[in-house]
């Protein structure tokens, strides 16, 4: 095998590895910020404002993108109408906000498991909004994956470590599930 092909395979493998590690770290940090308290004594406070975290996340992303584009000599001009960016940005913002907020009500494991059920909203949005046609087996797979995840998730305690146990588990469960459903719907649209 020529050297160029071997280097490209190593580059691809390295990219997959780095992306996986980055997402793992991001997930762990996200869960820690939203569920671990800080402060001394009896007053362990939790981070109250998910919207601020989402804003910081997006600002850092824009900063890194601009630095990368300038360093690589790419143009920063828009190629699509601004309204196209706005729709995707709004959907992404709502999904991320719901993702952070859901950690106040459901466990990180439950949230991660719910993400695997994203196939159903993607297929539904693609059909309704995008006018795409999928094979019947693709719809069936999406429904079965979602049903399997639901059964697995609902088999045990799904509440977050920071959920208010005094408010009742049905409220915690309902809020967590509503936030996850909004997250899946808006993320699937994006």
């Amino acid at each position: 095998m020529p050297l160029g092909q071997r280097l490209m395979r190593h580059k691809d493998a390295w990219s997959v590895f780095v992306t996986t590690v980055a997402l793992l770290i991001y997930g762990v940090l996200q869960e820690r910020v939203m569920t671990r308290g800080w402060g001394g004594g009896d007053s362990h406070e939790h981070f109250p404002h998910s919207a601020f975290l989402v804003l910081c996340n997006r600002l850092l992303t824009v900063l890194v993108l601009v630095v990368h584009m300038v360093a690589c000599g790419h143009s920063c001009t828009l190629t699509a109408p601004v309204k196209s960016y706005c729709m995707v940005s709004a959907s992404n913002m709502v999904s991320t906000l719901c993702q952070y907020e859901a950690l106040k009500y459901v466990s990180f494991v439950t949230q991660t498991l719910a993400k695997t059920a994203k196939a159903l909203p993607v297929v539904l949005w693609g059909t309704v909004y995008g006018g795409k046609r999928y094979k019947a087996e693709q719809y069936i797979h999406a429904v079965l994956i979602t049903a399997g995840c639901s059964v697995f998730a609902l088999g045990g305690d799904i509440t977050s470590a920071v959920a208010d146990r005094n408010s009742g588990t049905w409220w915690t469960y309902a809020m967590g599930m509503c936030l996850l459903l909004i997250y899946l719907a808006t993320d699937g649209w994006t």
Side-chain angles (χ1 to χ4, degrees):
M1 178 182 314
L3 178 62
Q5 286 180 343
R6 285 192 308 217
L7 288 176
M8 193 55 105
R9 280 190 181 171
H10 290 300
K11 182 180 175 186
D12 291 345
W14 180 250
S15 296
V16 168
F17 175 76
V18 168
T19 302
T20 303
V21 169
L23 289 173
L24 179 65
I25 291 169
Y26 177 76
V28 168
L29 290 176
Q30 177 188 18
E31 191 254 349
R32 288 182 71 96
V33 166
M34 295 306 294
T35 62
R36 303 274 169 94
W38 66 85
D42 294 333
S43 63
H44 285 291
E45 297 180 40
H46 295 281
F47 199 87
H49 305 292
S50 301
F52 179 73
L53 290 175
V54 175
L55 174 67
C56 290
N57 181 311
R58 296 308 181 258
L59 290 175
L60 181 62
T61 302
V62 169
L63 177 67
V64 169
L65 175 68
V66 169
V67 168
H68 173 74
M69 291 183 76
V70 168
C72 294
H74 297 296
S75 171
C76 291
T77 58
L78 301 177
T79 58
V82 174
K83 68 178 182 178
S84 298
Y85 293 109
C86 290
M87 293 300 291
V88 171
S89 295
S91 173
N92 185 273
M93 189 74 159
V94 170
S95 72
T96 306
L97 186 59
C98 288
Q99 179 183 3
Y100 277 96
E101 281 295 312
L103 286 173
K104 295 178 181 177
Y105 301 98
V106 296
S107 70
F108 182 70
V109 173
T110 303
Q111 184 187 72
T112 303
L113 191 59
K115 289 178 187 181
T116 62
K118 189 172 142 179
L120 185 60
V122 168
V123 167
L124 292 176
W125 280 121
T127 301
V128 173
Y129 183 72
K132 295 181 180 178
R133 297 227 180 244
Y134 297 95
K135 296 177 184 174
E137 60 205 32
Q138 290 173 305
Y139 288 105
I140 293 169
H141 286 152
V143 168
L144 290 176
I145 288 169
T146 303
C149 292
S150 300
V151 168
F152 187 79
L154 301 177
D157 184 21
I158 65 167
T159 56
S160 171
V162 298
D164 184 10
R165 305 285 181 181
N166 298 328
S167 66
T169 55
W170 74 270
W171 175 251
T172 301
Y173 173 78
M175 282 297 295
M177 288 297 118
C178 285
L179 287 167
L180 284 177
L181 287 174
I182 295 168
Y183 159 71
L184 286 172
T186 54
D187 195 48
W189 187 79
T190 302

